[in-house]
Amino acid sequence: MDLPVSAVGADPPTDLTPRRILVTGGAGFIGSHVVARLMLMGSQVRVLDNFSTSRLENLADAAYGGLTEADVVSGDIRTQEGVEVIHQWQPDVVVHLAAQSSVPAASRSPLYDADVNVFGTVNVLDACARGGVRLFINAASSDIFGGVAAHELPVREEHPIAPVSPYGVSKAVGVHYLDWYGRQHGLSYTSMVLGNVYGPRQEGSDCGVVSVMADALLGGRQAVIYGDGTQTRDFIYVSDVAEAIAVACHHNGVGTVNIASGRQTSVNEVYDTVREASGVGDAARYEPLPWPDEVRNMALDTRKARELLGWYPKVGFTEGVRMTVRDVRRRQAGSPNLSPVWALSHS
Ligand SMILES: NC(=O)c1ccc[n+]([C@@H]2O[C@H](COP(=O)([O-])OP(=O)(O)OC[C@H]3O[C@@H](n4cnc5c(N)ncnc54)[C@H](O)[C@@H]3O)[C@@H](O)[C@H]2O)c1
């Protein structure tokens, strides 16, 4: 597993050392890296996931780190039964990653997106507020800021929230509810505004331009660039996000905090980097942007994360792309089965 070594977990326990951590969406792309990282801290970790976009196999690393079949709760965050684990198991920290996570899918189906990202999030928040949870860690997105003028980049946390897509709206609503639960119920929270997260185990044609391009090139297909490719995003490697969450678990809530690289990378640069790492591929095909509400440029200011959490990204883009391409190559080759030992009895 490509996780940087950190001091978190090696220090003597304090009042803020989490005993029990529940990770909603813990079997997903980011969640599975987070769960594997949290297992290294010696905390008890449980996963709540409905497996709508994820697979049990994603938890192989975590299983080797000690996660058991009993620690994986199959349930939906939109139901009372789904969040019952919060009342019964009484985690002191909840890391909320379960979501409808695709920007294009939210535009195709805003109702479903709102159901999961708004209703589901409020359902989890409400259970946490009533269940005495010490800290709530949320996964927001740079899409909450909408289009930002070039002179305002990289965006600071105080920047006005002004989403332009249904996904950005549903993520922004979650942020406003967090604020309300914080003021009304005293729920301490850290709301991470994530850049474009990429890395091993990211799958699906709707998500993750790095994986999508690597999958095309290694599969012998031409990669597609929508627009002229000069649009930029702030890319952050998944182990850096997992590390930020692990560190945040040992603090009280710090409010909204950007977790990103702080720099813009254009889609054309992404393609060049993926092509170099793959060692294959001709020129990409350019097609018109299918999304009228596409944000042009994005980068997030990460100074607050460094100041309050002591966190900063450690994996450079070229290195991160190489590790992602290696994972796509392994998957396409039908690698040896990495399923958790208990996967067969669970499914
Ligand atoms: N990947 C990114 O670039 C990125 C950027 C910003 C924010 N985020 C946020 O980070 C979080 C994790 O994203 P990801 O990229 O790992 O996506 P993902 O789709 O891999 O993970 C989401 C997980 O939530 C689960 N889930 C979905 N609906 C559920 C429901 N109703 N009940 C229980 N579980 C449910 C899925 O099965 C999956 O395991 C999401 O909140 C996403 O919005 C992701």
Side-chain angles (χ1 to χ4, degrees):
M1 193 174 35
D2 301 303
L3 294 175
V5 177
S6 151
V8 169
D11 298 331
T14 69
D15 285 353
L16 293 180
T17 303
R19 288 177 307 111
R20 293 180 167 183
I21 308 173
L22 178 72
V23 184
T24 74
F29 160 53
I30 298 174
S32 60
H33 288 270
V34 168
V35 172
R37 176 64 188 85
L38 297 180
M39 295 303 296
L40 301 177
M41 303 189 323
S43 308
Q44 290 181 55
V45 180
R46 280 199 180 165
V47 169
L48 169 62
D49 204 301
N50 72 351
F51 295 93
S52 53
T53 60
S54 55
R55 295 183 277 153
L56 202 58
E57 289 77 30
N58 288 349
L59 291 169
D61 289 341
Y64 292 119
L67 192 82
T68 69
E69 185 175 6
D71 297 322
V72 182
V73 180
S74 185
D76 196 307
I77 56 164
R78 293 168 292 177
T79 66
Q80 283 315 306
E81 309 83 70
V83 298
E84 193 55 33
V85 59
I86 295 170
H87 301 294
Q88 280 175 1
W89 192 55
Q90 299 185 338
D92 43 352
V93 178
V94 170
V95 180
H96 179 49
L97 302 174
Q100 188 303 110
S101 61
S102 158
V103 180
S107 299
R108 287 195 299 270
S109 182
L111 274 180
Y112 176 70
D113 179 76
D115 196 24
V116 179
N117 292 1
V118 179
F119 184 80
T121 295
V122 177
N123 198 32
V124 175
L125 270 173
D126 208 67
C128 290
R130 291 173 202 286
V133 166
R134 175 182 74 76
L135 174 68
F136 186 94
I137 298 181
N138 180 54
S141 155
S142 57
D143 288 80
I144 65 173
F145 295 124
V148 177
H151 70 274
E152 291 176 305
L153 296 171
V155 185
R156 299 219 64 177
E157 286 83 354
E158 306 76 38
H159 191 83
I161 292 177
V164 293
S165 67
Y167 176 77
V169 170
S170 67
K171 283 283 161 183
V173 171
V175 169
H176 291 307
Y177 269 109
L178 261 180
D179 180 52
W180 184 81
Y181 274 97
R183 283 183 286 111
Q184 190 70 21
H185 292 276
L187 184 64
S188 177
Y189 70 85
T190 295
S191 185
M192 297 189 169
V193 179
L194 304 178
N196 279 51
V197 189
Y198 71 101
R201 297 202 282 274
Q202 191 167 33
E203 284 184 89
S205 55
D206 267 350
C207 312
V209 63
V210 173
S211 301
V212 169
M213 283 181 170
D215 195 53
L217 294 187
L218 294 174
R221 302 184 308 278
Q222 191 178 27
V224 177
I225 292 178
Y226 294 102
D228 64 5
T230 59
Q231 68 271 37
T232 60
R233 292 291 178 272
D234 186 329
F235 290 91
I236 178 79
Y237 191 67
V238 67
S239 68
D240 277 328
V241 174
E243 183 64 15
I245 290 174
V247 172
C249 283
H250 288 75
H251 287 71
N252 286 318
V254 298
T256 302
V257 62
N258 293 336
I259 299 296
S261 72
R263 54 181 291 267
Q264 299 182 54
T265 302
S266 74
V267 176
N268 285 329
E269 284 176 75
V270 172
Y271 182 66
D272 290 342
T273 313
V274 172
R275 190 156 67 148
E276 202 175 314
S278 309
V280 288
D282 299 325
R285 187 172 78 247
Y286 285 81
E287 288 190 4
L289 272 175
W291 315 283
D293 45 13
E294 164 103 346
V295 169
R296 180 83 207 141
N297 299 114
M298 183 51 69
L300 297 169
D301 189 316
T302 59
R303 279 175 292 177
K304 184 174 175 184
R306 191 185 274 264
E307 281 160 24
L308 297 188
L309 298 174
W311 174 92
Y312 57 91
K314 299 188 180 65
V315 180
F317 188 63
T318 307
E319 186 191 355
V321 167
R322 274 199 208 114
M323 292 191 276
T324 310
V325 165
R326 202 184 307 147
D327 179 66
V328 172
R329 187 174 272 127
R330 182 188 59 74
R331 263 192 275 144
Q332 286 190 355
S335 66
N337 185 11
L338 292 174
S339 302
V341 280
W342 33 264
L344 288 176
S345 62
H346 187 277
S347 49

